[in-house]
Amino acid sequence: MSRIGKQPISIPKGIDVSLNSTVLSFKKGNITQELDTKGFVNVELKDGSIVFSPKGEDRQSRAFWGTYRSLAHNIVVGLTDGFSKKLEVNGVGYRAAVKGNVLELNLGFSHSINYKLPEGVQASIEKNIITISGYNKQNVGQVAAEVREFRPPEPYKGKGIKYVDERIIRKAGKTSKK
């Protein structure tokens, strides 16, 4: 039995949920997200909540049961509260700026990096902290990972882009002989 899959998802006010055979659609304002369960799980709308159950007793249905419930829960949380990731830029001369939907990064290369933000993802900068936010958890995490990948933190001085809560294990530098 899936402990996650058994829990119903309550639908908050302002979010419209509709069910068409295997496609579960969520709508808030002009934002629409869909979840296709591909026939592995049963989805029911009961008393202002969404209930998931496995379609059969086969291994694949039980495996997808909790997964689809978590995906639907992430859509509801994203449409109500949103998701965000915070990145910290460390290094002399390392800067970040947002121009429209383009994140401009100066990371010690001979050129600046212009990263176009996908639709539904916003970035804001305060001092050396980049906050990436949006309603889709997967997109926010993917954009944060791609931005971090431009200059991952190095272990000697800690220069680079890291998550705010990430801990970089430092190495000792070379020592001189006496």
Side-chain angles (χ1 to χ4, degrees):
M1 293 293 285
S2 173
R3 293 182 187 191
I4 300 292
K6 287 192 287 189
Q7 299 170 358
I9 301 170
S10 62
I11 304 168
K13 294 196 184 302
I15 295 180
D16 299 324
V17 179
S18 61
L19 177 64
N20 291 339
S21 65
T22 62
V23 178
L24 192 59
S25 299
F26 300 86
K27 185 171 181 168
K28 180 180 182 183
N30 59 351
I31 301 171
T32 303
Q33 280 279 51
E34 291 187 351
L35 177 66
D36 187 6
T37 59
K38 295 182 177 65
F40 290 116
V41 294
N42 293 323
V43 182
E44 298 174 29
L45 299 173
K46 291 183 184 175
D47 303 328
S49 63
I50 306 167
V51 179
F52 289 86
S53 62
K55 194 156 231 164
E57 288 300 317
D58 61 323
R59 186 174 178 89
Q60 201 165 22
S61 293
R62 288 184 288 127
F64 281 116
W65 181 22
T67 302
Y68 283 124
R69 190 262 177 210
S70 292
L71 291 173
H73 179 69
N74 286 342
I75 291 171
V76 170
V77 170
L79 291 176
T80 55
D81 301 331
F83 295 101
S84 67
K85 293 267 186 183
K86 292 186 181 227
L87 300 168
E88 184 178 352
V89 181
N90 290 326
V92 176
Y94 288 11
R95 288 187 300 278
V98 176
K99 296 180 179 174
N101 67 341
V102 175
L103 181 63
E104 186 178 323
L105 301 164
N106 294 321
L107 301 173
F109 299 119
S110 61
H111 60 285
S112 64
I113 299 168
N114 294 323
Y115 182 79
K116 187 175 184 308
L117 297 169
E119 188 176 328
V121 177
Q122 299 84 28
S124 63
I125 298 173
E126 187 175 313
K127 292 187 182 179
N128 64 337
I129 305 290
I130 303 170
T131 304
I132 298 171
S133 58
Y135 61 88
N136 189 329
K137 187 175 187 177
Q138 183 178 357
N139 287 351
V140 169
Q142 185 65 38
V143 168
E146 288 172 1
V147 169
R148 182 186 182 276
E149 199 173 297
F150 289 129
R151 184 67 91 166
E154 51 95 14
Y156 296 101
K157 291 185 179 178
K159 291 169 50 172
I161 300 175
K162 70 178 188 81
Y163 295 106
V164 169
D165 57 352
E166 183 179 10
R167 194 168 151 256
I168 305 300
I169 298 173
R170 299 289 174 87
K171 290 183 179 179
K174 292 183 180 179
T175 58
S176 63
K177 282 190 172 180
K178 289 188 180 182

